[in-house]
Amino acid sequence: MSIKKPDGRLQLRKKPQQERSIQRLDQILEAATALVAEQGVARLKMTDLAARARVPIGSLYQFFPEKAAIIRALHDRHTARVETGAERVFSAVASLAEAEALMGSAVDAFYTTFRDDPIYLPVWLAAISDADLQRLNSDHQTRLTRILCDIFRPLLPEGSKIDLETRVLLFVYLTGAVVRRAMIADDKMARRILDEWKRSIHATIFAE
Protein backbone atom coordinates (compact mmCIF):
# COMPACT_ATOMS: atom_id res chain seq x y z
CA MET A 1 0.00 0.00 0.00
CA SER A 2 1.42 3.37 -1.04
CA ILE A 3 0.93 6.54 0.96
CA LYS A 4 0.62 9.86 -0.86
CA LYS A 5 2.07 12.96 0.67
CA PRO A 6 -0.55 15.52 1.70
CA ASP A 7 -0.90 18.76 -0.21
CA GLY A 8 1.37 21.59 0.96
CA ARG A 9 -1.62 23.68 2.00
CA LEU A 10 -2.07 21.35 4.96
CA GLN A 11 1.52 21.41 6.14
CA LEU A 12 2.90 23.41 9.03
CA ARG A 13 4.86 26.29 7.52
CA LYS A 14 7.50 25.85 10.17
CA LYS A 15 8.10 23.17 12.75
CA PRO A 16 8.75 24.76 16.14
CA GLN A 17 12.13 23.99 17.66
CA GLN A 18 12.39 26.35 20.59
CA GLU A 19 10.28 25.94 23.71
CA ARG A 20 8.58 29.28 23.19
CA SER A 21 7.47 28.34 19.66
CA ILE A 22 6.29 24.92 20.82
CA GLN A 23 4.20 26.54 23.55
CA ARG A 24 2.75 29.02 21.07
CA LEU A 25 1.74 26.24 18.69
CA ASP A 26 0.10 24.33 21.56
CA GLN A 27 -1.67 27.54 22.57
CA ILE A 28 -3.06 27.97 19.06
CA LEU A 29 -4.27 24.37 18.86
CA GLU A 30 -5.93 24.55 22.28
CA ALA A 31 -7.71 27.72 21.18
CA ALA A 32 -8.76 26.01 17.94
CA THR A 33 -10.11 23.06 19.93
CA ALA A 34 -12.20 25.40 22.09
CA LEU A 35 -13.58 27.33 19.11
CA VAL A 36 -14.48 24.21 17.13
CA ALA A 37 -16.20 22.77 20.21
CA GLU A 38 -18.19 25.98 20.63
CA GLN A 39 -19.14 26.83 17.05
CA GLY A 40 -18.05 24.08 14.68
CA VAL A 41 -15.50 24.04 11.89
CA ALA A 42 -17.43 26.08 9.33
CA ARG A 43 -17.49 29.18 11.52
CA LEU A 44 -13.85 28.96 12.54
CA LYS A 45 -11.97 32.06 11.33
CA MET A 46 -8.29 32.78 11.45
CA THR A 47 -8.87 36.22 13.01
CA ASP A 48 -11.04 34.73 15.76
CA LEU A 49 -8.47 32.02 16.39
CA ALA A 50 -5.62 34.52 16.71
CA ALA A 51 -7.69 36.55 19.18
CA ARG A 52 -8.66 33.47 21.21
CA ALA A 53 -5.05 32.22 21.29
CA ARG A 54 -3.81 35.73 22.11
CA VAL A 55 -1.25 35.71 19.33
CA PRO A 56 -0.73 38.18 16.46
CA ILE A 57 -2.43 37.11 13.25
CA GLY A 58 1.01 37.08 11.62
CA SER A 59 2.21 34.52 14.15
CA LEU A 60 -0.76 32.31 13.31
CA TYR A 61 0.08 32.40 9.60
CA GLN A 62 3.71 31.62 10.39
CA PHE A 63 2.49 28.18 11.41
CA PHE A 64 -0.64 27.60 9.32
CA PRO A 65 -1.14 28.71 5.70
CA GLU A 66 -4.93 28.38 5.99
CA LYS A 67 -7.74 26.96 8.10
CA ALA A 68 -7.46 23.51 6.54
CA ALA A 69 -3.97 23.16 8.00
CA ILE A 70 -5.40 23.74 11.47
CA ILE A 71 -8.06 21.08 10.89
CA ARG A 72 -5.28 18.77 9.71
CA ALA A 73 -3.34 19.37 12.96
CA LEU A 74 -6.44 18.55 15.04
CA HIS A 75 -7.12 15.51 12.85
CA ASP A 76 -3.53 14.33 13.37
CA ARG A 77 -3.97 14.48 17.13
CA HIS A 78 -6.87 12.04 16.89
CA THR A 79 -5.19 9.67 14.44
CA ALA A 80 -1.93 9.60 16.37
CA ARG A 81 -3.87 8.72 19.51
CA VAL A 82 -5.55 5.79 17.74
CA GLU A 83 -2.35 4.49 16.15
CA THR A 84 -0.22 4.64 19.30
CA GLY A 85 -3.07 3.09 21.26
CA ALA A 86 -3.35 0.21 18.79
CA GLU A 87 0.38 -0.49 18.96
CA ARG A 88 0.27 -0.44 22.75
CA VAL A 89 -2.82 -2.63 23.13
CA PHE A 90 -2.09 -5.25 20.47
CA SER A 91 1.70 -5.52 20.70
CA ALA A 92 1.64 -8.34 23.26
CA VAL A 93 -1.06 -10.44 21.57
CA ALA A 94 -0.06 -14.11 21.51
CA SER A 95 -2.98 -15.83 19.74
CA LEU A 96 -5.76 -15.17 17.25
CA ALA A 97 -8.34 -15.72 19.99
CA GLU A 98 -6.70 -13.00 22.06
CA ALA A 99 -6.46 -10.73 19.02
CA GLU A 100 -10.14 -11.25 18.25
CA ALA A 101 -11.16 -10.45 21.84
CA LEU A 102 -9.03 -7.31 21.83
CA MET A 103 -10.59 -6.14 18.57
CA GLY A 104 -13.96 -6.22 20.27
CA SER A 105 -12.55 -4.33 23.23
CA ALA A 106 -11.00 -1.81 20.83
CA VAL A 107 -14.44 -1.03 19.41
CA ASP A 108 -15.72 -0.17 22.88
CA ALA A 109 -12.56 1.79 23.71
CA PHE A 110 -12.81 3.83 20.51
CA TYR A 111 -16.42 4.68 21.33
CA THR A 112 -15.84 5.63 24.97
CA THR A 113 -12.69 7.61 24.15
CA PHE A 114 -14.20 9.81 21.47
CA ARG A 115 -17.91 9.86 22.42
CA ASP A 116 -17.39 12.82 24.76
CA ASP A 117 -14.73 14.53 22.66
CA PRO A 118 -16.51 17.68 21.42
CA ILE A 119 -14.37 18.08 18.31
CA TYR A 120 -13.94 14.52 17.04
CA LEU A 121 -17.05 14.44 14.86
CA PRO A 122 -16.77 18.07 13.58
CA VAL A 123 -13.15 17.52 12.58
CA TRP A 124 -13.90 14.18 10.92
CA LEU A 125 -16.83 15.69 8.98
CA ALA A 126 -14.59 18.54 7.84
CA ALA A 127 -11.96 16.03 6.75
CA ILE A 128 -14.31 14.07 4.48
CA SER A 129 -15.39 17.28 2.71
CA ASP A 130 -11.82 18.22 1.70
CA ALA A 131 -9.96 16.08 -0.86
CA ASP A 132 -6.55 16.61 0.73
CA LEU A 133 -7.86 15.81 4.20
CA GLN A 134 -9.60 12.73 2.80
CA ARG A 135 -6.22 11.45 1.67
CA LEU A 136 -4.82 12.01 5.14
CA ASN A 137 -7.65 9.96 6.61
CA SER A 138 -7.01 7.19 4.09
CA ASP A 139 -3.32 7.29 4.96
CA HIS A 140 -4.24 6.89 8.63
CA GLN A 141 -6.35 3.83 7.81
CA THR A 142 -3.44 2.42 5.81
CA ARG A 143 -0.98 2.92 8.68
CA LEU A 144 -3.36 1.39 11.21
CA THR A 145 -4.00 -1.57 8.91
CA ARG A 146 -0.25 -2.11 8.55
CA ILE A 147 0.28 -1.95 12.32
CA LEU A 148 -2.37 -4.60 12.95
CA CYS A 149 -1.39 -6.85 10.04
CA ASP A 150 2.22 -6.92 11.20
CA ILE A 151 1.02 -8.16 14.57
CA PHE A 152 -1.63 -10.62 13.35
CA ARG A 153 0.15 -12.22 10.39
CA PRO A 154 2.59 -14.33 12.44
CA LEU A 155 -0.37 -15.72 14.40
CA LEU A 156 -2.16 -17.15 11.37
CA PRO A 157 -2.02 -20.93 10.95
CA GLU A 158 0.42 -22.23 8.38
CA GLY A 159 -1.15 -22.31 4.94
CA SER A 160 -3.86 -19.75 5.78
CA LYS A 161 -5.54 -18.40 2.65
CA ILE A 162 -7.39 -15.44 4.15
CA ASP A 163 -6.80 -11.98 2.72
CA LEU A 164 -5.67 -10.53 6.04
CA GLU A 165 -4.83 -7.06 4.72
CA THR A 166 -8.29 -6.55 3.21
CA ARG A 167 -10.07 -7.89 6.28
CA VAL A 168 -8.12 -5.67 8.65
CA LEU A 169 -8.60 -2.64 6.41
CA LEU A 170 -12.35 -3.28 6.45
CA PHE A 171 -12.24 -3.66 10.24
CA VAL A 172 -10.43 -0.32 10.54
CA TYR A 173 -12.72 1.51 8.11
CA LEU A 174 -16.00 0.02 9.27
CA THR A 175 -15.21 0.36 12.96
CA GLY A 176 -14.81 4.09 12.43
CA ALA A 177 -18.13 4.26 10.60
CA VAL A 178 -19.94 2.12 13.17
CA VAL A 179 -18.60 4.10 16.13
CA ARG A 180 -19.49 7.44 14.54
CA ARG A 181 -23.06 6.17 13.96
CA ALA A 182 -23.25 5.03 17.57
CA MET A 183 -22.09 8.45 18.74
CA ILE A 184 -25.22 10.13 17.38
CA ALA A 185 -27.60 7.50 18.80
CA ASP A 186 -28.99 7.26 22.31
CA ASP A 187 -27.12 5.03 24.74
CA LYS A 188 -29.38 2.01 24.26
CA MET A 189 -29.17 2.07 20.47
CA ALA A 190 -25.43 2.80 20.59
CA ARG A 191 -24.88 -0.36 22.61
CA ARG A 192 -26.97 -2.42 20.18
CA ILE A 193 -24.97 -1.08 17.25
CA LEU A 194 -21.61 -1.76 18.89
CA ASP A 195 -22.56 -5.22 20.14
CA GLU A 196 -23.83 -6.28 16.69
CA TRP A 197 -20.63 -5.07 15.06
CA LYS A 198 -18.52 -6.99 17.58
CA ARG A 199 -20.49 -10.16 16.80
CA SER A 200 -19.72 -9.63 13.11
CA ILE A 201 -16.02 -9.23 13.88
CA HIS A 202 -16.04 -12.43 15.94
CA ALA A 203 -17.71 -14.38 13.13
CA THR A 204 -15.55 -13.21 10.25
CA ILE A 205 -12.22 -11.58 11.04
CA PHE A 206 -10.02 -14.71 11.12
CA ALA A 207 -12.44 -17.27 9.67
CA GLU A 208 -10.89 -19.47 6.98
Side-chain angles (χ1 to χ4, degrees):
M1 290 183 289
S2 61
I3 298 178
K4 296 181 179 179
K5 292 184 178 180
D7 191 277
R9 60 188 277 265
L10 302 183
Q11 300 278 17
L12 274 177
R13 277 185 162 154
K14 69 173 185 178
K15 187 173 182 179
Q17 303 293 334
Q18 298 180 346
E19 184 63 27
R20 182 179 178 184
S21 294
I22 293 171
Q23 290 177 353
R24 176 161 286 187
L25 178 59
D26 287 342
Q27 189 175 335
I28 291 169
L29 291 177
E30 291 309 311
T33 297
L35 285 173
V36 170
E38 291 170 10
Q39 60 189 31
V41 171
R43 294 178 62 190
L44 180 66
K45 297 179 180 178
M46 299 292 269
T47 50
D48 293 342
L49 177 54
R52 183 64 166 261
R54 297 181 179 178
V55 300
I57 189 70
S59 294
L60 182 57
Y61 280 108
Q62 283 180 351
F63 289 110
F64 300 104
E66 60 175 271
K67 185 172 82 172
I70 296 166
I71 302 307
R72 184 260 173 93
L74 297 176
H75 177 272
D76 283 354
R77 284 185 164 187
H78 287 137
T79 58
R81 189 175 181 182
V82 171
E83 289 168 29
T84 57
E87 286 185 299
R88 183 183 66 254
V89 168
F90 287 95
S91 61
V93 166
S95 69
L96 290 181
E98 186 180 355
E100 182 184 291
L102 278 177
M103 291 173 92
S105 298
V107 172
D108 290 329
F110 189 4
Y111 174 70
T112 56
T113 297
F114 291 110
R115 174 187 56 194
D116 298 322
D117 185 327
I119 72 163
Y120 173 78
L121 282 178
V123 167
W124 180 83
L125 290 169
I128 65 170
S129 66
D130 182 293
D132 294 322
L133 287 167
Q134 284 179 27
R135 284 201 298 273
L136 286 173
N137 199 46
S138 293
D139 290 348
H140 159 63
Q141 293 166 4
T142 297
R143 290 191 302 271
L144 190 54
T145 298
R146 186 173 297 151
I147 288 167
L148 294 175
C149 281
D150 286 347
I151 294 169
F152 298 158
R153 191 170 287 110
L155 305 176
L156 292 175
E158 185 176 353
S160 173
K161 302 295 184 183
I162 72 170
D163 185 349
L164 181 67
E165 184 177 28
T166 299
R167 290 194 189 184
V168 174
L169 177 59
L170 286 171
F171 164 76
V172 168
Y173 176 79
L174 293 174
T175 293
V178 167
V179 168
R180 284 186 287 272
R181 181 59 183 86
M183 285 178 180
I184 61 173
D186 60 52
D187 290 342
K188 184 177 180 180
M189 177 55 74
R191 181 44 53 194
R192 289 170 59 191
I193 291 169
L194 297 176
D195 287 347
E196 189 61 32
W197 175 232
K198 288 188 293 182
R199 280 190 285 270
S200 296
I201 294 168
H202 177 76
T204 63
I205 190 64
F206 297 123
E208 292 290 340

